[in-house]
Amino acid sequence: MRVIGNLAIFGDADEQTIAQMKQCLAVEDGAIGVLCADNHLGYSQPIGAAIAYREHISPSGVGFDIGCGNKAVLTNLKAADVDVPKVMDEIYRRISFGIGRKNNEPVDHPVLDEIRNANFKPQRALYDLAAEQLGTVGGGNHYVDLFADEHDRLWVGVHFGSRGFGHRTASGFLSLARGGRFEDHHVEGEMMSPPVVFKVDSEIGQAYIEAMTLAGKYAQAGRDLVCAKVLEILGAREVESVHNHHNFAWREEHGGETWWVIRKGCTPAFPGQRGFVGSTMGEESVILEGTKAGAKALFSTVHGAGRVMSRNEAAGKRRIGWGCSEEGCGWAQTGKGGKPKACPKCGSKRLVKRWVQVKPGKIDFDDVKRQLERKGIVLRGGAADEAPQAYKRLSQVLADQGDTIRILHRLRPLGVAMAGPEVWDPYKD
């Protein structure tokens, strides 16, 4: 760990990420910051960061995916007794990833009644969206995984947040901050945009805390429902669970003072508090707990391995364009233009709009899939921008956190389910 003023840095951090953190700390005299070892540049506040303010709350610090987090469930099953490919097929069939819901199984939860009667009244208009997406997983790095621990016990792990309900809530407050309406569309600014903050004792600050808390409840309910669905598919029961937000703000005591701690991509880890930290689709994840030494990290730790390349860098550049659906053709419109009368390659008129690769990325995802297959990992969905090569090594990231955490269980991946490469999801973190 190294310290720069009121900023503690675990592991490596590039100068731009440090500069972004300093910009956030400048909001308030005496603010305290932590960059965990999975840190990297984010929108307005780094991902893998915690900031403690006495008098401010930050919607840009919490981010667009309010309440994004991880849940892990230990089942009563042994991994060796599970037909992993069959279970992963059923998970991918019955749980919706990306945009939309691909099944008509009814989903209900008391949190929907809270949204219908939300104290922050503009959130009530988001009820239909919240009901439609409750229990869906989303895109990007959001997943449903099966794991085996060191005793061959089967675990279920999930990662996602508050979906469109949280995104619209965050966007609404960012619009209010610049004088607009909650219902207005907010355009995300540059990565180095100054942090948006509210005074905690202001009307808008209190409204944001109320709305953020409800979005967090919604995210937690979604993870509970998805885990319950996986247990149903497995015919298993829950033995114990570990559940945390990592995009949220909490009122906490540190050093004898009371603070608002804003964590973005950052897991709370108080002494004895357990957390599930996911890795990449091809490497071990962990169950960990915080220690007393974590005081120097604001009792915060990593939420994953941390990216080392952008999504476009990993997967290349894609856009929506016309492509031929004739089997074996493969033609796609790489330039801009309207719909051709027929495929210029094979003459077929079976043209559809789809994602078209216009610039190659650094990662060969077909090779990644072959590597996962050799390891015995069953993959459903996924894309190059979520390949292991796009991330740091979790083992090193955890080592860089030093004595602030203790590893309780190491979880070997058996099956990974994610949105496929054809999905773009505006609600990912």
Side-chain angles (χ1 to χ4, degrees):
M1 183 188 80
R2 61 181 169 129
V3 178
I4 303 175
N6 282 354
L7 174 62
I9 302 172
F10 292 83
D12 298 326
D14 62 50
E15 291 306 312
Q16 196 173 16
T17 302
I18 293 172
Q20 188 176 63
M21 197 66 172
K22 288 180 177 179
Q23 183 173 250
C24 294
L25 292 172
V27 163
E28 182 180 295
D29 288 343
I32 301 171
V34 174
L35 283 172
C36 294
D38 61 339
N39 72 81
H40 58 91
L41 200 66
Y43 168 64
S44 189
Q45 176 175 316
I47 296 168
I51 297 177
Y53 296 126
R54 292 183 180 90
E55 300 176 356
H56 292 88
I57 192 84
S58 175
S60 60
V62 171
F64 286 95
D65 197 359
I66 301 170
C68 188
N70 290 350
K71 181 174 183 178
V73 175
L74 173 62
T75 76
N76 62 321
L77 303 180
K78 290 290 186 179
D81 297 331
V82 176
D83 184 339
V84 175
K86 181 178 178 181
V87 170
M88 296 308 298
D89 285 341
E90 194 69 0
I91 288 172
Y92 214 62
R93 184 179 74 84
R94 293 182 60 184
I95 296 173
S96 298
F97 296 80
I99 297 174
R101 183 183 291 278
K102 62 185 178 185
N103 60 62
N104 294 316
E105 296 184 28
V107 176
D108 196 14
H109 193 280
V111 75
L112 293 177
D113 291 329
E114 293 193 51
I115 293 171
R116 184 185 285 112
N117 302 296
N119 289 334
F120 180 66
K121 291 182 180 179
Q123 279 185 308
R124 297 178 186 179
L126 302 177
Y127 175 86
D128 289 342
L129 175 64
E132 177 187 351
Q133 294 188 332
L134 184 61
T136 64
V137 174
N141 60 347
H142 296 159
Y143 58 75
V144 176
D145 288 1
L146 297 181
F147 300 98
D149 68 11
E150 56 277 341
H151 305 295
D152 195 47
R153 298 179 300 178
L154 184 74
W155 291 72
V156 176
V158 303
H159 169 217
F160 61 96
S162 51
R163 305 293 281 118
F165 177 67
H167 189 278
R168 296 277 180 86
T169 296
S171 181
F173 276 94
L174 292 172
S175 175
L176 290 171
R178 59 177 185 162
R181 301 178 307 152
F182 182 84
E183 298 78 14
D184 290 342
H185 176 67
H186 174 79
V187 179
E188 186 174 299
E190 299 295 326
M191 294 289 273
M192 295 299 288
S193 297
V196 175
V197 297
F198 303 136
K199 281 278 194 177
V200 171
D201 60 0
S202 67
E203 183 178 348
I204 193 171
Q206 288 297 307
Y208 176 73
I209 291 168
E210 183 83 41
M212 176 196 69
T213 300
L214 184 53
K217 287 183 179 180
Y218 177 83
Q220 186 169 9
R223 293 190 290 268
D224 286 342
L225 287 166
V226 169
C227 285
K229 181 63 65 179
V230 177
L231 290 175
E232 179 187 315
I233 291 168
L234 287 164
R237 61 177 173 83
E238 177 183 315
V239 175
E240 61 183 70
S241 66
V242 180
H243 201 171
N244 308 96
H245 294 323
H246 51 238
N247 287 5
F248 210 66
W250 288 269
R251 191 74 164 150
E252 297 175 358
E253 297 290 329
H254 293 277
E257 293 189 70
T258 303
W259 305 80
W260 275 99
V261 180
I262 291 94
R263 293 186 177 91
K264 178 184 279 190
C266 186
T267 306
F270 284 83
Q273 182 180 17
R274 296 184 303 163
F276 162 48
V277 175
S279 182
T280 71
M281 60 178 68
E283 296 164 292
E284 284 187 339
S285 298
V286 297
I287 304 294
L288 51 73
E289 68 176 3
T291 70
K292 291 181 180 179
K296 58 194 173 190
L298 288 172
F299 294 118
S300 305
T301 194
V302 300
H303 82 307
R307 298 193 72 90
V308 294
M309 64 176 76
S310 70
R311 296 184 184 279
N312 282 344
E313 192 179 0
K317 186 176 180 181
R318 297 182 300 150
R319 63 170 179 78
I320 294 291
W322 292 102
C324 181
S325 61
E326 198 70 43
E327 187 174 354
C329 177
W331 175 82
Q333 186 183 60
T334 55
K336 294 182 179 180
K339 181 182 179 181
K341 292 182 179 180
C343 173
K345 181 177 178 182
C346 72
S348 172
K349 294 186 178 181
R350 296 175 58 193
L351 304 179
V352 295
K353 277 211 163 185
R354 60 181 175 84
W355 282 108
V356 176
Q357 191 85 26
V358 295
K359 181 181 178 182
K362 290 184 176 180
I363 293 175
D364 180 346
F365 195 57
D366 287 333
D367 184 56
V368 171
K369 289 187 283 188
R370 288 190 291 268
Q371 292 177 35
L372 295 178
E373 188 175 0
R374 286 194 292 269
K375 290 182 176 182
I377 299 170
V378 178
L379 177 65
R380 297 293 179 263
D385 56 348
E386 292 304 324
Q389 297 94 319
Y391 287 86
K392 301 175 184 178
R393 305 281 65 79
L394 182 62
S395 57
Q396 183 59 57
V397 165
L398 293 170
D400 288 339
Q401 288 296 127
D403 60 356
T404 64
I405 54 170
R406 181 182 301 110
I407 306 301
L408 301 178
H409 299 293
R410 298 186 182 276
L411 307 180
R412 174 173 55 88
L414 304 173
V416 178
M418 310 176 76
E422 73 282 359
V423 173
W424 174 76
D425 185 355
Y427 308 126
K428 65 183 181 294
D429 65 347

